[in-house]
Amino acid sequence: MTETWIILGATSSMARAFARAVARNGAQVLLAGRDMADLQASASDCALQGAPVAEALHFDARDQATFAPIIERATALEGMINVAVFVGSMPTQEAIDADPSLIAGTVTDNYAGPAAFLQMIAPKMEERGGGTVAGVGSVAGDRGRIGNYVYGSSKAGFHTYLSGLRNRLTRSGGHVVTVKPGFVDTSMTWGIEGMFLVASPEKIAADILTAVEKRKNVIYTPGFWRLIMGIITAIPERLFKKLSI
Ligand SMILES: NC(=O)c1ccc[n+]([C@@H]2O[C@H](COP(=O)([O-])OP(=O)(O)OC[C@H]3O[C@@H](n4cnc5c(N)ncnc54)[C@H](OP(=O)(O)O)[C@@H]3O)[C@@H](O)[C@H]2O)c1
């Protein structure tokens, strides 16, 4: 079956591993992001892996004028349209405490920008009667904690958005999988101390692909994070508010 994967935030190492995997499966790939040289290199790699179409396209979550050309290109291609969202940014909570104006960009990168893009493309997916959205959120979105609550709340907003979009797209044969990674070894987490059970970007990409194929609704990756977050979310608020986890 001919299909296209639009990959938002395609310079992420998780996104790169995911793009290679779907290219190997013969999908058309549109790699969207800000660093065009990096995206071109990935597009060449995807073509070598077997993608019949592999292109780099400019996407900036903070500039909605960049969205329409990507959607036009995807709709010009035959087959189902799928979208994988890897876009995100995570200023430190200390930086945000010092400069609250950083909140707006954080919310746009993790939630408002991707959500606006998905709102624009949803009618095209509905017209074609299917397609999958894989949205990368975070375990940080499951509970606000002292060290990361602005980033966490932006991911929580994205999770809730994806839940509603799943409800909508299901009606036309489409699907949405919400992906909640734990700690992953990427440029976002480079140099951060105190991380544990760190996963590789390839592991996350493989879990996302399996979840897409099995039409899972919400996954934790690696899977043991479901248990960890089950424990963390079960801690009573009167106790949790005194913890620094
Ligand atoms: N690493 C972890 O432990 C972890 C855990 C849970 C969830 N996540 C989530 O996983 C996803 C991928 O992150 P990563 O860890 O692979 O880090 P990353 O390498 O920093 O990837 C983030 C991606 O978002 C893009 N991006 C940021 N702001 C953008 C904007 N305004 N417009 C367009 N693209 C923008 C970056 O593009 P540029 O190259 O242009 O900056 C990059 O492609 C993110 O959503 C992140 O929140 C990561």
Side-chain angles (χ1 to χ4, degrees):
M1 183 186 66
T2 309
E3 62 173 351
T4 301
W5 274 98
I6 301 172
I7 301 188
L8 303 181
T11 59
S12 146
S13 43
M14 294 178 209
R16 206 186 308 277
F18 183 79
R20 295 187 101 213
V22 295
R24 258 180 248 127
N25 288 347
Q28 305 167 134
V29 292
L30 301 179
L31 304 174
R34 298 183 293 193
D35 183 340
M36 295 311 289
D38 186 301
L39 296 171
Q40 293 287 2
S42 274
S44 304
D45 179 42
C46 286
L48 284 174
Q49 299 297 322
V53 174
E55 296 172 10
L57 297 169
H58 180 57
F59 168 80
D60 187 337
R62 302 188 191 191
D63 179 6
Q64 291 196 14
T66 64
F67 298 1
I70 301 168
I71 293 167
E72 275 162 30
R73 183 64 189 118
T75 47
L77 295 169
E78 280 183 22
M80 290 297 174
I81 300 170
N82 308 303
V83 187
V85 179
F86 290 89
V87 190
S89 66
M90 189 179 70
T92 63
Q93 188 62 47
E94 293 75 31
I96 292 169
D97 292 346
D99 179 5
S101 72
L102 292 175
I103 292 175
T106 308
V107 172
T108 304
D109 295 343
N110 292 304
Y111 168 30
F117 183 93
L118 292 170
Q119 283 302 110
M120 286 170 66
I121 203 160
K124 311 289 181 194
M125 295 175 69
E126 287 168 327
E127 273 169 27
R128 295 197 182 187
T132 298
V133 172
V136 177
S138 172
V139 294
D142 278 5
R143 194 156 196 185
R145 54 186 188 84
I146 191 164
N148 212 7
Y149 59 93
V150 168
Y151 172 76
S153 61
S154 68
K155 290 297 194 185
F158 192 46
H159 295 166
T160 305
Y161 172 80
L162 292 171
S163 168
L165 185 66
R166 176 161 45 247
N167 210 279
R168 170 178 170 177
L169 291 184
T170 296
R171 285 147 217 261
S172 56
H175 185 61
V176 176
V177 52
T178 304
V179 179
K180 298 184 182 181
F183 295 126
V184 192
D185 183 16
T186 68
S187 54
M188 183 176 277
T189 51
W190 192 85
I192 296 180
E193 285 175 14
M195 293 202 310
F196 54 93
L197 301 171
V198 180
S200 71
E202 291 74 21
K203 162 69 179 160
I204 308 301
D207 281 358
I208 297 174
L209 195 57
T210 303
V212 166
E213 286 165 359
K214 293 188 173 170
R215 287 173 84 88
K216 297 276 185 190
N217 295 314
V218 181
I219 64 155
Y220 287 80
T221 169
F224 54 73
W225 279 96
R226 185 179 291 275
L227 178 65
I228 296 173
M229 295 317 296
I231 294 166
I232 289 179
T233 53
I235 299 171
E237 193 66 23
R238 65 179 181 282
L239 182 64
F240 189 77
K241 69 184 179 185
K242 296 176 191 154
L243 302 179
S244 302
I245 53 174

